[in-house]
Amino acid sequence: MEISGLPLELWRLILSYMRLPDLGRCSMVCRAWYELILSLDNTRWRQLCLGCVECRHPNWPNQPDVEPWSWREAFKQHYLASKTWTKNSQDLESSNCFYLFRRKKDRRVLCVGPGCEFDNLRRALLSAGVYDRIVLLPGVYEEQSEIFLKAPVEIMGRGKLGDVALLASFDQHCPTMRLCNLVFMPAWFTPVIYKTTSGHVQFDNCNFESGQLQIHAPGTCQVKFCTFNQSSINFHSVAISLLENCEFVGSENASVTVEGCPSLDKNWACKHLTMLAKSRSVLLQTSEPPLRNTSKLESQGHLPVGSMRTCEIVVGEEPGHLFSATQTEAMLKRACEKENDLSGNVTVAPKEEAMTMDTDTSDSELSMSSENEEESESSYRLPYQAHSLSHLLAKVIHSRPQANGLTALQNDYELKSLPQEMQKDKEVQALANLVQGCLVRKCLFRDGKGGIFVCSQGQARAEGSIFRDLTYAVRCIQNSKIIMLKNDIHHCKTSGIFLRLGAGGLIADNDIHSNCEAGIDIRKGANPLILCNRIHSGLRSGIVVLGNGKGIIRSNQIYGNKEAGIYILYNGNPLVSGNHIFQGLAAGIAVNENGRGQITENVIRENQWGGADIRRGGDPVLRSNLICCGYSDGVVVGERGKGLIEGNTIYGNKGCGVWIMSSSLPHITSNQIGHNSIYGVAVFCRKDDANDYLANQGGNENFNDEGEAANWENELESEDERLTSRRPISVALVESNSINHNGAAGLYVKSSEALNIIGNAIHANRDCGVSISQSSQLTRIANNSISCNSLGGVLVEAECRVDLRGNGIYDNSSHGVASKGDGVVTENDILGNKGCGLRLLQAADMKVIKNRIHSFRGYGMEMLDQTKGVVQDNVIFQGKSKRAILQQTSSGDGCIVQNNKLIAFKKKFDAAWTLENPPARPHIEGSSRGVSISGNSQKVTNVTARIAARMDGGCHNNGSIFCTIL
């Protein structure tokens, strides 16, 4: 018949009465009929799919309200899968043409129940032939002894699921079996419901109540649309088995246990199951619907994570306390406007507080003169622009905020997707495509103790499943391997995923959130790949790595956790790179208790505590990270903290850029530290006792599992085995950093221990460049460029010991160097400062030797009160004010002034020669080295040039916000 003969709606009505075989025949008539059959997707095909007693809704149990993209395709896939159990039949060994004439053996249907030929299942099994179907009528069938299955048959319950119940224990000894639409309950004599040691078994649309399934190699199984109520399934060395669209509820132990290395001895079904597994992999699905209800999340205050994996995502229950993308753009715009306004008002705070001002000191040109200076004043210059750190100052000048700074930043630090990671890393690709052991797909694990337990070199793979309200979701130990892709793991009573004792695998593209402890817990030599996950809203840390745990943690979004985003301790040593760690309620990354790790190229932003917190023997490498917009300090190095902090951009934090406590030994080099609200770098003598460490930072974390000892010392690697590429240091070292535009002093020292400050560019900070408030041990300040700061260049308080050597101290708004302490000032260029060049007062005892000193309006050098020391072989220039070049009012007898060269001001004075021999200080060999890795250096420079978000804040009594909380 022609399709055009009847209206389309009438054809659909007629075809809705056809059975499946008739629809198949109609679709083969012609293209018009084929398209007509396809058009029945939401009517007849949906009706056939939902009416089949062998399956349930295609998206059950996780998304039963979400329509499949094609009902016909879903029905087809299930129909083909339901025939897998019969694919082991062998063809007759005869001529190829004989298969055309061979008749298929008719399958018998044996009925069991009241009024049928068989009144119990055991008799029907004895009479059944190969591949016969046994149909059980509604009722309860109980067997008093174990049933041995010796012939491959199909056992099916009639009616709705639940109408037929079996109280029996099966032991399979045949190649294949299929059981469908049944409720299984254990017999009185054993908890084992079903066991196979060699054959293949397929369960469709069944319920298992309070029992166990056991699958031993080379046996296999395929379980679909089944419910395990207080039941479990155990796999022993299986080569491959499939669990699809199943629900596990109320388990007393692990719902799925995978034990033993996958066997090389495989049965006939392995190749068919492998093909099924690969054809339905989540890696091949381009448009997966979300695992959670978006509207529900929005009602809880959580914004859904979009497909664009950038740091623009804002998640939190209190949006008013976070930076949204719009707010950040607005801050960038305001910061840009402020930078262009060079005539702001200066406000000097009380003595004990940091000075704040509306705008930064002008750094539009590196000279002692501003645009508003008189022409006669600007004509007298000592050009110093060519000193060896001028390249750092050039970066600072070009790092002013841009309106599109956030967009550019996202381009530099954009998170990689899983396909990009697979393309870059062949190991990731191999793991993602590995199909071996037990495969769990689109299942629901809820309201029980455990989800999946993998041990003794077992292998398991979980895709698109939901784990919720469990004690733990996944536990992988004893050199086993777990592959987890696109799962949703939340509201676990302990950690979501545990990895122990050399466990490994791939944990990628999962949503891990709202767990009571860590999202992922790695320890005892476990070494997984953790890629492209969203780990958030945990009641403790996002990821913890301890007890010799390793792992590669890359391209994850870690946010909104109540403790550290990543917590490393007890010799944990992961590789952490390319992650976005933001909006945590404690530190972004905490390294504690001899933890280590390589932490590179991460975005760590908007955390309530330090972006990176290192203490108690923590010794990480923190390199090329962006640490910005935090509510406290950028980097905190607590008591006994160590580590190499290199090439990071530490920007716009409301506390200090870097906060260093006594008894720590960090190496801080080649960082961009700018626009922080308090100090750029602060070194304090305050010590934080272990009891003062706040609980929600992780100090009270329960790091002991059931049955695990707390004695980690036996597991720690020896010092000789540690891999390190850094040079050893014996004194805390701050070198080669650019410290600029911070709200208080660029570098503030109040310490009782030695400190080396070498080769830094300290520029345009809103207080002194360097302030030494307490320094009983020697503080060495060498080869730094200290310029354009809002107060003095260097301030040394009484009873402090300093060694100022080879520095260039230029264009500061107060005195170049003001000292009340002791030490040496030798071979410095102190030029163009608005106050005195060098001012000694009170009981200062300084040796001032071979310096070049000049001031605009003040004295070149001024000695007051009880000053002592030696002033010798200096070149002192007179400033514009025509005051005496050298003023000495000191009454001390120990002050020696000799062999100084005093050069008076002349109107047509040619100063071009003055800083040529030697040239302008500082002098540093190889000063352009920057970050050790050139690519990272370029990225840090780009980020510095593109982002600025000035944070307002006070000094909190000369202390860190973090320590004020303590």
Side-chain angles (χ1 to χ4, degrees):
M1 296 177 63
E2 292 292 333
I3 294 296
S4 57
L6 291 175
L8 186 60
E9 291 76 11
L10 188 56
W11 275 122
R12 288 175 176 169
L13 178 61
I14 295 171
L15 294 173
S16 66
Y17 290 93
M18 287 191 173
R19 297 181 303 166
L20 179 62
D22 297 326
L23 288 175
R25 296 185 182 97
C26 290
S27 66
M28 299 176 66
V29 173
C30 62
R31 179 173 293 276
W33 276 89
Y34 175 74
E35 294 177 353
L36 177 62
I37 299 302
L38 289 183
S39 70
L40 303 175
D41 193 82
N42 288 323
T43 54
R44 183 54 177 164
W45 288 113
R46 183 179 187 276
Q47 184 181 10
L48 286 172
C49 189
L50 294 180
C52 178
V53 298
E54 302 177 9
C55 67
R56 305 188 191 183
H57 190 285
N59 290 322
W60 183 88
N62 295 335
Q63 298 171 299
D65 298 331
V66 178
E67 298 274 313
W69 71 274
S70 170
W71 285 97
R72 177 182 176 275
E73 185 64 25
F75 186 56
K76 173 184 175 183
Q77 292 298 328
H78 173 74
Y79 181 83
L80 293 176
S82 67
K83 305 301 179 185
T84 302
W85 76 284
T86 63
K87 292 183 178 179
N88 69 320
S89 57
Q90 301 295 323
D91 290 334
L92 297 175
E93 295 182 3
S94 57
S95 302
N96 292 335
C97 61
F98 277 97
Y99 80 94
L100 296 172
F101 306 100
R102 188 175 67 249
R103 293 182 58 189
K104 289 185 179 180
K105 181 181 178 181
D106 293 333
R107 294 179 56 192
R108 292 192 304 161
V109 178
L110 309 179
C111 292
V112 179
C116 299
E117 57 181 316
F118 300 101
D119 58 354
N120 62 62
L121 177 60
R122 192 183 295 272
R123 292 182 180 178
L125 288 171
L126 292 174
S127 300
V130 177
Y131 300 112
D132 284 349
R133 171 178 290 186
I134 299 175
V135 177
L136 301 179
L137 272 60
V140 178
Y141 298 85
E142 183 176 5
E143 297 292 339
Q144 298 300 319
S145 62
E146 190 173 29
I147 297 177
F148 294 92
L149 302 173
K150 298 182 179 180
V153 296
E154 180 180 28
I155 303 175
M156 177 176 289
R158 179 173 294 179
K160 296 180 179 179
L161 179 62
D163 291 346
V164 180
L166 278 175
L167 280 73
S169 177
F170 295 91
D171 189 351
Q172 178 180 340
H173 292 275
C174 55
T176 185
M177 283 289 298
R178 182 176 186 239
L179 300 102
C180 177
N181 203 39
L182 300 168
V183 175
F184 291 91
M185 291 183 286
W188 62 271
F189 53 87
T190 178
V192 178
I193 295 175
Y194 198 97
K195 180 172 66 175
T196 180
T197 56
S198 60
H200 172 72
V201 60
Q202 181 171 332
F203 293 96
D204 289 317
N205 197 28
C206 294
N207 281 4
F208 299 90
E209 304 285 340
S210 304
Q212 298 176 14
L213 273 68
Q214 295 184 0
I215 312 297
H216 295 259
T220 56
C221 79
Q222 181 181 2
V223 185
K224 294 181 61 182
F225 299 108
C226 292
T227 298
F228 289 76
N229 187 14
Q230 297 183 348
S231 299
S232 62
I233 180 168
N234 301 327
F235 296 94
H236 300 269
S237 301
V238 294
I240 186 169
S241 287
L242 301 183
L243 303 178
E244 298 180 284
N245 297 91
C246 293
E247 181 179 26
F248 296 84
V249 185
S251 63
E252 295 181 358
N253 291 298
S255 297
V256 178
T257 299
V258 183
E259 181 179 358
C261 183
S263 173
L264 297 177
D265 186 10
K266 300 180 181 181
N267 66 11
W268 66 269
C270 287
K271 67 176 182 178
H272 301 288
L273 294 178
T274 301
M275 291 175 59
L276 273 177
K278 291 182 177 180
S279 65
R280 299 184 189 180
S281 173
V282 294
L283 298 175
L284 301 177
Q285 300 173 12
T286 57
S287 59
E288 275 289 317
L291 290 179
R292 293 176 295 146
N293 193 326
T294 302
S295 60
K296 181 179 179 182
L297 280 180
E298 291 175 347
S299 66
Q300 295 174 350
H302 296 276
L303 300 180
V305 177
S307 58
M308 177 61 73
R309 300 172 58 79
T310 69
C311 68
E312 189 178 5
I313 298 162
V314 177
V315 182
E317 295 187 355
E318 298 181 8
H321 295 285
L322 306 175
F323 296 112
S324 66
T326 306
Q327 289 171 329
T328 309
E329 289 285 356
M331 284 193 299
L332 294 175
K333 187 174 182 180
R334 287 197 300 271
C336 186
E337 293 171 353
K338 286 184 179 181
E339 284 286 339
N340 293 330
D341 179 12
L342 301 178
S343 58
N345 297 322
V346 178
T347 304
V348 180
K351 183 177 180 180
E352 294 300 322
E353 298 181 3
M355 189 200 78
T356 60
M357 54 186 278
D358 292 337
T359 65
D360 294 336
T361 301
S362 170
D363 53 1
S364 58
E365 58 179 25
L366 300 179
S367 75
M368 65 183 179
S369 305
S370 68
E371 296 177 2
N372 297 326
E373 292 291 341
E374 297 179 6
E375 191 173 329
S376 60
E377 189 173 278
S378 62
S379 65
Y380 180 69
R381 296 183 179 181
L382 301 178
Y384 58 85
Q385 292 91 331
H387 64 73
S388 59
L389 293 182
S390 58
H391 66 285
L392 289 180
L393 297 180
K395 293 177 184 178
V396 171
I397 292 173
H398 292 95
S399 68
R400 291 183 177 173
Q402 303 293 328
N404 62 345
L406 184 60
T407 303
L409 173 66
Q410 292 170 355
N411 293 335
D412 278 336
Y413 280 96
E414 185 176 352
L415 285 166
K416 291 183 174 62
S417 63
L418 182 57
Q420 289 173 325
E421 288 286 355
M422 291 173 61
Q423 186 175 8
K424 183 182 74 171
D425 193 330
K426 298 300 181 184
E427 182 183 1
V428 176
Q429 189 174 25
L431 284 172
N433 293 321
L434 180 65
V435 179
Q436 204 169 19
C438 174
L439 173 60
V440 180
R441 179 182 291 128
K442 295 183 179 180
C443 293
L444 172 63
F445 297 80
R446 64 178 178 89
D447 303 314
K449 181 174 181 180
I452 300 175
F453 178 52
V454 191
C455 62
S456 302
Q457 302 182 34
Q459 292 189 19
R461 180 185 180 102
E463 298 181 353
S465 298
I466 294 178
F467 301 80
R468 63 176 173 86
D469 299 307
L470 304 166
T471 301
Y472 66 88
V474 174
R475 188 178 182 90
C476 185
I477 64 173
Q478 299 169 342
N479 298 302
S480 299
K481 188 177 295 182
I482 183 74
I483 298 169
M484 300 195 68
L485 303 174
K486 297 182 182 296
N487 301 283
D488 192 358
I489 301 167
H490 62 94
H491 292 96
C492 294
K493 296 179 180 63
T494 58
S495 296
I497 301 173
F498 289 88
L499 296 111
R500 302 282 186 279
L501 300 173
L506 174 66
I507 301 171
D509 215 1
N510 302 282
D511 194 2
I512 305 170
H513 64 96
S514 307
N515 298 291
C516 292
E517 293 188 7
I520 302 176
D521 187 308
I522 305 167
R523 61 180 81 180
K524 292 187 177 180
N527 190 18
L529 277 165
I530 302 174
L531 309 178
C532 307
N533 301 281
R534 294 163 302 285
I535 305 171
H536 60 98
S537 307
L539 301 183
R540 312 263 337 228
S541 299
I543 300 175
V544 294
V545 186
L546 65 152
N548 282 337
K550 300 181 180 65
I552 296 174
I553 303 170
R554 199 165 63 217
S555 300
N556 301 280
Q557 296 180 65
I558 305 172
Y559 57 93
N561 298 288
K562 286 192 175 181
E563 293 182 6
I566 298 177
Y567 197 14
I568 306 169
L569 67 166
Y570 295 122
N571 245 39
N573 190 17
L575 300 178
V576 182
S577 66
N579 304 280
H580 286 187
I581 305 169
F582 58 100
Q583 295 174 7
L585 301 182
I589 295 179
V591 186
N592 206 338
E593 304 293 353
N594 299 312
R596 293 177 285 151
Q598 302 276 338
I599 303 167
T600 60
E601 297 187 6
N602 303 279
V603 176
I604 306 172
R605 63 182 177 90
E606 299 175 36
N607 295 286
Q608 293 289 341
W609 291 15
D613 191 290
I614 305 165
R615 59 184 71 221
R616 297 200 190 108
D619 190 11
V621 174
L622 191 70
R623 178 180 288 129
S624 301
N625 302 279
L626 173 63
I627 304 172
C628 67
C629 302
Y631 291 93
S632 183
D633 307 308
V635 176
V636 176
V637 185
E639 187 180 358
R640 292 188 290 112
K642 295 183 283 187
L644 173 63
I645 301 169
E646 180 181 20
N648 303 282
T649 297
I650 304 171
Y651 201 97
N653 299 285
K654 286 196 172 182
C656 303
V658 178
W659 177 272
I660 306 171
M661 295 181 184
S662 295
S663 302
S664 61
L665 201 65
H667 183 185
I668 300 170
T669 178
S670 305
N671 301 281
Q672 298 283 344
I673 306 172
H675 294 272
N676 301 287
S677 292
I678 312 182
Y679 306 111
V681 177
V683 183
F684 268 75
C685 60
R686 190 180 306 170
K687 295 185 178 181
D688 56 327
D689 189 78
N691 295 327
D692 294 330
Y693 197 55
L694 293 187
N696 65 345
Q697 176 66 15
N700 296 329
E701 178 86 68
N702 177 18
F703 290 115
N704 293 329
D705 283 320
E706 305 164 10
E708 291 188 5
N711 185 15
W712 298 106
E713 287 76 12
N714 297 331
E715 301 175 18
L716 303 183
E717 296 174 336
S718 66
E719 285 292 318
D720 296 337
E721 296 175 354
R722 295 186 54 176
L723 300 177
T724 178
S725 59
R726 69 187 86 163
R727 74 175 191 263
I729 60 171
S730 57
V731 176
L733 177 59
V734 180
E735 68 165 346
S736 304
N737 302 283
S738 176
I739 305 171
N740 63 85
H741 298 91
N742 296 288
L747 199 152
Y748 182 86
V749 179
K750 188 178 180 181
S751 175
S752 58
E753 298 175 0
L755 175 67
N756 290 338
I757 304 167
I758 300 173
N760 302 279
I762 304 172
H763 178 74
N765 298 286
R766 297 182 180 181
D767 201 291
C768 298
V770 178
S771 177
I772 312 296
S773 177
Q774 176 182 323
S775 177
S776 56
Q777 298 293 323
L778 184 65
T779 297
R780 185 185 176 205
I781 306 172
N783 298 326
N784 301 279
S785 172
I786 305 171
S787 61
C788 297
N789 296 286
S790 297
L791 290 184
V794 179
L795 173 63
V796 182
E797 294 291 347
E799 300 181 358
C800 294
R801 295 182 58 212
V802 297
D803 181 355
L804 276 165
R805 191 181 302 269
N807 301 282
I809 303 172
Y810 307 116
D811 276 358
N812 298 287
S813 297
S814 184
H815 310 297
V817 177
S819 176
K820 303 174 186 177
D822 304 337
V824 177
V825 181
T826 181
E827 296 183 351
N828 301 280
D829 285 344
I830 308 173
L831 308 174
N833 300 286
K834 303 301 187 295
C836 297
L838 174 61
R839 194 178 196 222
L840 306 179
L841 63 161
Q842 294 184 8
D845 186 359
M846 306 289 290
K847 292 183 179 179
V848 184
I849 301 171
K850 295 183 180 179
N851 301 280
R852 292 183 294 202
I853 305 173
H854 166 267
S855 174
F856 253 145
R857 301 183 182 87
Y859 294 96
M861 183 171 178
E862 187 174 23
M863 291 175 287
L864 307 173
D865 305 326
Q866 303 299 318
T867 301
K868 295 186 293 184
V870 177
V871 181
Q872 180 178 328
D873 297 328
N874 299 283
V875 178
I876 307 176
F877 301 90
Q878 182 188 37
K880 179 180 179 293
S881 63
K882 297 185 179 180
R883 292 181 181 179
I885 297 174
L886 175 64
Q887 182 184 30
Q888 182 178 2
T889 63
S890 172
S891 59
D893 298 332
C895 188
I896 300 173
V897 180
Q898 61 185 18
N899 298 332
N900 297 287
K901 185 175 182 180
L902 309 179
I903 301 177
F905 172 78
K906 294 181 181 180
K907 206 162 193 178
K908 295 185 178 180
F909 180 73
D910 183 8
W913 59 271
T914 55
L915 299 183
E916 288 183 356
N917 188 20
R921 295 182 175 95
H923 304 150
I924 302 176
E925 295 182 2
S927 62
S928 61
R929 66 182 179 86
V931 189
S932 59
I933 303 175
S934 60
N936 294 342
S937 177
Q938 183 177 3
K939 175 175 285 190
V940 170
T941 303
N942 292 339
V943 171
T944 305
R946 288 174 175 173
I947 178 171
R950 188 173 289 102
M951 304 293 146
D952 299 325
C955 239
H956 296 272
N957 298 322
N958 289 332
S960 164
I961 292 177
F962 172 75
C963 283
T964 301
I965 296 173
L966 293 180

